[in-house]
Amino acid sequence: MNKKTNVLVVSCLLLMSIMFAGGCSSGGAGSGNKPVSIAVSPLNRSIAAGNTQQFTAIGTYANGTTQDLTTSATWSSSDSSCATTSNSAGSNGKVTGLAPGATTITATYGLISDSTTLTVTSATLTSIAVTPTNPSMAAQTTQQFTATGTYSDNSTQDLTKQVTWSSSDPSITTIDSEGNATALAAGTTTITATQGPVSGTTTLPVSNATLSSITVTPINQSIAAGTTQQFTATGTFSDNTNQDLTAQVTWNSSDTSKASIAASGGLARAVAAGPTTITATLGTTSGTTTLLVSTATLSSIVVTPDNQNIAARTTQQFTATGFYSDSTSQDLTTSVTWNSSTPSIATISNAAGSNGEATGLSVGVTTITATYGSISGSTPLTVKAPASQSIVSIAVTPSNPIISAIPAGTTFQFTATGTFSDNTTQDLTMYVSWKSSNGNASIDAKGKATTAAAGTTTITATSEGIQGSATLTITNAALISIAVTPNNPSVTNWKTQQFTATGTYSDATTQDLTALVSWNSSDRSVASFYNSAGSIGLATALTPGSTTISAASGSITGSSILKVESAN
């Protein structure tokens, strides 16, 4: 390299360092590095004119870490007559559709940029569905409502933050601009969501019921130091109704040297070995559970799914599962540091809410790695040309489930699997638009259905104009018993035993409740549970002895005896 070239290189590096100085000096995942690529999501969206779409820009740095650059990037639209972009504080990356057509939405950060296509349709809003339908609340509690718009081309869109919310009687219930209602006094009010001339409503009765008890789940959990555990608080009221109070209660840990928990939200973080009591309090009512922080050390990390193939401009959610020295396992997806060996082929997010989500950028193979401390796990990810994958069908599973509406608010998880033109498949559960055909059940953006009343509803998943559906039947039957199987099994220590919970209802129907019940071991020194995704109902045998394995749903419990024998 000659002297003239050296001077040019130094000048360019100096210019780039000046340009990026403001963007990388604030700490975070990319602090001290320059982003080598930027990824815009979601990809290839379609909205109706007059609606908005929030885009996100994730930067990947030379050291493989990522950082959310949505508020730092400069957003632009190739056709401002079709859609405009916002660079204003508080709405960075929000795009407003103006007229039918297609435009390219670009996020630029320094010398790097990324784009996606936004299609604005001429479809008109024909109806708004407000969910949950006809819920019941107790005074002094809150309820999140969702507004889903259906358009003339049969597409749907979440309008929760775009509609105007109102309560017909604010003395009974108030509702804010994002659909969060607060019950004040007993009575009945109508909740309305309005956009232009179109409105949707639901009736909201507020009872005089008082809070009787709070149940904190999962019960008697065991996790390793340095990891986290999400707790849920469910309130039971004097009229026998139940309500999720996780966001309303005040959370507390009896020994913060063992585990801390934020006052709101229910997320606990293990600090050091030992037990602590986790408490959820609302007014004068409290519920508790024990959290045991174990001395177990992390032995390995497994990244799933393994050897995945995706198309460029599509995404793939990865999960990191940690396996510990006491043979327990834990979901570490939000705790690990994610890395892609070749960020130009695919990036992977460490941003809150999208941890472990990889985005394919160009054709090739990269290694996706999850690291926690000195322990890592990895899997290859192959990115193919976009043309090789277009969705040809979507399968919604389970296809025809039957569940009980008692207690009201029972939840059920659906999955959407896409089949592409090259015969590959991909889990699209987090990326499709979910819809319930009526108010017998509502369904959220992640495919979780919540029952409201007995009847039948069609659950539909839509992406790129392709739909898949399943029929959900909801009965009024009450749960009368739970059978835990296998009955009285025997295993050697350091082995695992999968249990299943089957519920029998008052109409003589049965249902697999394995993923819905709370699992517990009466002697956790003999066997323990970690109720993470993929290991629900899986008991780990620790030391010789006997323990009672129980599965509980509300006041109904079933059990089995597990005998642990010495492996020697």
Side-chain angles (χ1 to χ4, degrees), residues 182-500:
T182 301
L184 302 177
T188 300
T189 185
T190 300
I191 299 297
T192 303
T194 303
Q195 187 179 75
V198 182
S199 295
T201 64
T202 190
T203 301
L204 176 60
V206 179
S207 70
N208 277 319
T210 56
L211 183 60
S212 305
S213 63
I214 296 175
T215 301
V216 177
T217 54
I219 59 175
N220 302 331
Q221 198 69 353
S222 177
I223 62 176
T227 61
T228 61
Q229 174 64 52
Q230 178 63 53
F231 287 96
T232 299
T234 303
T236 299
F237 292 81
S238 55
D239 59 357
N240 293 320
T241 60
N242 296 311
Q243 188 173 340
D244 185 347
L245 302 178
T246 304
Q248 301 177 56
V249 297
T250 299
W251 293 92
N252 179 62
S253 169
S254 64
D255 189 344
T256 55
S257 68
K258 300 299 185 293
S260 62
I261 190 166
S264 61
L267 182 65
R269 180 173 294 278
V271 178
T276 185
T277 300
I278 301 298
T279 304
T281 304
L282 184 63
T284 59
T285 306
S286 295
T288 64
T289 190
T290 299
L291 174 63
L292 177 64
V293 181
S294 71
T295 57
T297 56
L298 182 62
S299 304
S300 63
I301 294 175
V302 174
V303 176
T304 54
D306 190 31
N307 298 319
Q308 197 70 4
N309 292 272
I310 65 173
R313 312 300 297 175
T314 63
T315 60
Q316 173 65 53
Q317 179 64 53
F318 286 95
T319 298
T321 303
F323 291 87
Y324 290 81
S325 56
D326 60 357
S327 296
T328 60
S329 62
Q330 188 168 347
D331 186 344
L332 299 178
T333 304
T334 61
S335 303
V336 297
T337 298
W338 291 96
N339 177 62
S340 170
S341 62
T342 312
S344 61
I345 293 176
T347 60
I348 190 159
S349 176
N350 285 290
S354 61
N355 305 73
E357 183 178 281
T359 300
L361 300 179
S362 62
V363 176
V365 180
T366 185
T367 300
I368 300 299
T369 302
T371 303
Y372 190 91
S374 61
I375 308 298
S376 295
S378 62
T379 186
L381 172 65
T382 301
V383 180
K384 299 186 292 184
S388 67
Q389 283 195 339
S390 60
I391 300 174
V392 295
S393 66
I394 296 175
V396 176
T397 53
S399 57
N400 296 297
I402 299 175
I403 63 176
S404 172
I406 300 176
T410 297
T411 60
F412 191 84
Q413 181 65 52
F414 285 93
T415 299
T417 303
T419 297
F420 292 80
S421 54
D422 61 356
N423 292 321
T424 60
T425 60
Q426 186 173 344
D427 185 347
L428 301 178
T429 304
M430 304 292 287
Y431 311 114
V432 297
S433 296
W434 290 97
K435 180 184 178 182
S436 173
S437 62
N438 59 48
N440 290 328
S442 60
I443 190 162
D444 66 16
K446 297 181 179 180
K448 180 179 287 187
T450 302
T451 64
T456 300
T457 185
T458 300
I459 300 298
T460 303
T462 304
S463 180
E464 299 179 11
I466 306 298
Q467 292 186 337
S469 63
T471 300
L472 173 62
T473 302
I474 307 162
T475 74
N476 270 326
L479 180 64
I480 57 176
S481 66
I482 297 175
V484 176
T485 53
N487 187 36
N488 304 335
S490 177
V491 297
T492 57
N493 58 320
W494 304 114
K495 300 294 183 179
T496 59
Q497 173 66 57
Q498 179 64 54
F499 285 93
T500 299

